[in-house]
Every structure is written in C-alpha cells, then in structure tokens.
Amino acid sequence: LSLSLTRMSKLPDFYYFPPFFTIQPVLSTREKQLGQWRELILKYHTDLKIKTLVVHECPLFQNSTIQRNLTPSDIQIVMFDFVLSGHGEWEDSNQKTRCRILWRKPEQLASDVYEWAVKNGFVGSVCTVYELHSGEDVNGMSFQGADEELLRRALGILEDQGKCTMFQGETSSEDGIKFF
C-alpha cells in the first residue's frame, strides 16, 4: 500500500474485498458501493487534510495488497458520483483531472462555524479569516485548515442568514468577520 494510505487510521474492510474495485452491475449493489467510495475518499482526504484529489495520482484507486485497481472508466463513475454528492468540485471542469474535496459541504461548514462562534463567545465580536482557518481557538474544528474559498462560501451563507458580516482587511487573511 502507498505510504499516504498507511497514514490513515485504518482502511475499512471493504477496501480489501476484490469486487469493490469493479463497478457492480446490480443497481442497489452499485449504489451501496458508490456510497462506500464516497465515504472512503472523504475520510482519506479529511484525515490527511488533503484539499485536492488528483485523479491519476490518487492511491485509493489501487490496492496492491489484493492486486486490484479501478479501471479509468470506473474511476470516472466513482468521481462523477462523488461530485454529484456535493463533496467535490472539479477544479478543471473540462479535463476532470483535479477535484477540490469539500471536507464538509458549505452549509455544514457554516453551521459548524456559527456553532463555534456561539460556544466561544465570538458573537458580537470580530475575528479574522486567518483566525478561523488557522487560529489556536479552532484546533480540532471541522473548518481548521479548510480550503479558504470553501470557508468564505460558508461565511457568505452565514452573512445571507444575517448571522455575520464580513469586511475587507489589508490582505485576504486579515478580512474580518463579525458574528451576530
């Protein structure tokens, strides 16, 4: 197995089941299988804090232990389903070789950020995008180290809900957020 795969806490048992590496023809079985691929891709990238899946470099698509791998057409099916689920977005929508991983969907991230702001007394005060992304107060939070564009989309959702306002700083990491 690749070095990055061994850094995961534990690969699920289904990863060692040879039929997992062949898209199943029976619809109900295929739906379950694609759900397992979504879960595996998301867990791998979240655990290792990897923000982009490069399709031809992703170690998940091959398992040397059982000598199995997904075919290029099966990878396309898995990735189409993954993006359709809302957990990925193509960075290159024409070639479909690089997929931004949304560790949490923007709506989930918005909810997590606001919950954090309420619990930590930030309602009525200001913090920066940098503090939300990399500050000491966010250790272990779902948005720690998140893709900045995704974090800004989540903040935009909160702004639309009237739960915060954003204002521009001297640099993008100094942009401020005031929670209500």
Side-chain angles (χ1 to χ4, degrees):
L1 287 177
S2 111
L3 180 60
S4 60
L5 281 180
T6 59
R7 290 186 3 222
M8 257 185 92
S9 53
K10 182 183 182 307
L11 287 164
D13 291 341
F14 61 76
Y15 189 72
Y16 297 96
F17 186 55
F20 182 62
F21 287 86
T22 302
I23 297 300
Q24 298 302 301
V26 176
L27 184 60
S28 60
T29 307
R30 181 182 322 135
E31 286 173 352
K32 182 175 182 197
Q33 177 188 30
L34 291 173
Q36 290 173 322
W37 273 111
R38 286 191 302 270
E39 175 187 315
L40 179 64
I41 291 168
L42 196 57
K43 180 167 178 31
Y44 172 77
H45 287 82
T46 303
D47 285 359
L48 299 181
K49 302 283 187 205
I50 300 170
K51 298 173 187 173
T52 302
L53 182 156
V54 180
V55 174
H56 65 279
E57 294 176 3
C58 183
L60 295 173
F61 298 143
Q62 54 196 13
N63 184 335
S64 58
T65 303
I66 61 169
Q67 299 181 342
R68 297 294 299 223
N69 59 282
L70 282 177
T71 66
S73 62
D74 285 353
I75 291 171
Q76 285 180 328
I77 291 168
V78 167
M79 291 307 302
F80 177 81
D81 176 76
F82 187 76
V83 169
L84 192 64
S85 78
H87 283 292
E89 297 175 340
W90 291 112
E91 291 180 357
D92 57 348
S93 55
N94 291 335
Q95 295 86 4
K96 295 183 174 35
T97 60
R98 298 178 54 82
C99 182
R100 174 182 293 119
I101 303 296
L102 306 179
W103 299 342
R104 306 266 292 159
K105 294 179 182 178
E107 302 78 18
Q108 294 169 316
L109 211 55
S111 177
D112 292 350
V113 167
Y114 194 72
E115 192 175 300
W116 168 85
V118 170
K119 281 184 182 173
N120 291 283
F122 280 92
V123 173
S125 62
V126 175
C127 70
T128 64
V129 169
Y130 176 81
E131 289 172 305
L132 267 183
H133 180 274
S134 304
E136 293 175 15
D137 294 332
V138 299
N139 283 340
M141 302 305 300
S142 66
F143 49 89
Q144 178 188 11
D147 182 90
E148 188 175 328
E149 182 186 329
L150 177 60
L151 187 55
R152 287 179 180 281
R153 285 189 0 218
L155 292 169
I157 290 169
L158 291 177
E159 198 168 32
D160 291 346
Q161 294 171 347
K163 294 180 177 178
C164 79
T165 189
M166 296 188 333
F167 48 92
Q168 199 165 5
E170 293 206 15
T171 66
S172 66
S173 65
E174 293 175 357
D175 287 354
I177 304 105
K178 182 171 184 174
F179 293 99
F180 304 113

